Amino acid sequence: QMQSLQLDGEGLRIHFVSSIDKSVENARFMSSIPPIQGIIDSRREPSQASSAVALENSTEDEEAWVIRLESIFTGMVTANNEYVSLSFLEFHDEDELQSAQEIVNIERNLSDRSYVRSTPMGCLTGQKIDHSVITFSNLRAGDVHVGDIVTSNSTNEGNVADEAYFLPLSLDLTVPIFDENTGVLFGAVILTIDIEYLLNQKVNGVNAEHVMLADHDGCLMSCSIHNSP
């Protein structure tokens, strides 16, 4: 019995880590798609463009790039039920990157996981950047910062009371975004994963009534209870 549980636990760990690794690749890919740089270029004056491509992008309406990015982000979140939000943010230079403003945010309604929506422009929020958690000066293009698994109040800071967006246990994957033409840090893409949902999906077939998730200090973070087969 104990050996069987150990094998189940190791198999669960492997599947869990594999899912996170796949999500890291997805986050990195989402940070490199053309609408990201298109939005950056569209916020630059045409006279400041450093290449023909940048000049073409700077003369194209930002709204067109945003619509394209929303469509791609929506497809990614829709295809992965454990993803609850995917955002593109711009840092504020004037406060030394202590805060950021959402440009695009796609989020899943957790009471109806089939419903994925784009946050309307008027509802996009600002976010505080905790530099004790992420030191962006140490990150390069393509790097993905894997955060700690945390308990969060909501995937939508402006709608904390809405239980449809309450997320008990989450993991953020953050990819820094640099302007390809200047190399200057512009913002970040953040993918948020519902760890509790992911865990519950992975425990199917595990011969145990309780599957527990603990942090590196051994503190219990989640407990999935189900009928053993």
Side-chain angles (χ1 to χ4, degrees), residues 1-10 205-210 228-229:
Q1 179 88 20
M2 181 60 69
Q3 185 176 11
S4 175
L5 288 174
Q6 288 176 336
L7 290 174
D8 283 340
E10 179 61 17
V206 175
N207 187 25
E209 293 184 1
H210 297 72
S228 59

Side-chain angles (χ1 to χ4, degrees), residues 2-3 11 34 48 56 83-84 104 126 131 135 146 149 152 169 174 219 226:
M2 181 60 69
Q3 185 176 11
Q48 298 176 320
E56 181 180 350
Y83 295 173
V84 290
V104 169
H131 289 274
T135 305
V146 181
I149 297 176
S152 58
L169 211 59
T174 304
C219 297
H226 62 103

Side-chain angles (χ1 to χ4, degrees), residues 12-13 16 149 169 195 199 211-224:
L12 180 59
R13 186 193 68 80
F16 191 83
I149 297 176
L169 211 59
I195 293 299
L199 179 64
V211 177
M212 300 180 183
L213 178 67
D215 63 16
H216 59 277
D217 293 322
C219 297
L220 181 65
M221 302 187 71
S222 178
C223 179
S224 176

Side-chain angles (χ1 to χ4, degrees), residues 74 77-78 81 83-84 106-120 162 164-165:
T74 297
V77 174
T78 301
N81 285 332
Y83 295 173
V84 290
I106 306 299
E107 59 186 358
R108 183 186 302 280
N109 185 312
L110 298 182
S111 63
D112 178 6
R113 302 191 78 92
S114 65
Y115 178 50
V116 176
R117 72 170 186 176
S118 172
T119 303
D162 189 345
Y165 296 95

Side-chain angles (χ1 to χ4, degrees), residues 20-21 30 65 70 74 123 215:
I20 300 301
D21 287 343
M30 288 293 100
W65 286 114
E70 287 176 337
T74 297
C123 298
D215 63 16

Side-chain angles (χ1 to χ4, degrees), residues 41-60:
D41 289 339
S42 69
R43 296 192 168 200
R44 183 188 298 112
E45 292 296 329
S47 60
Q48 298 176 320
S50 59
S51 68
V53 173
L55 177 60
E56 181 180 350
N57 289 345
S58 67
T59 58
E60 186 165 354

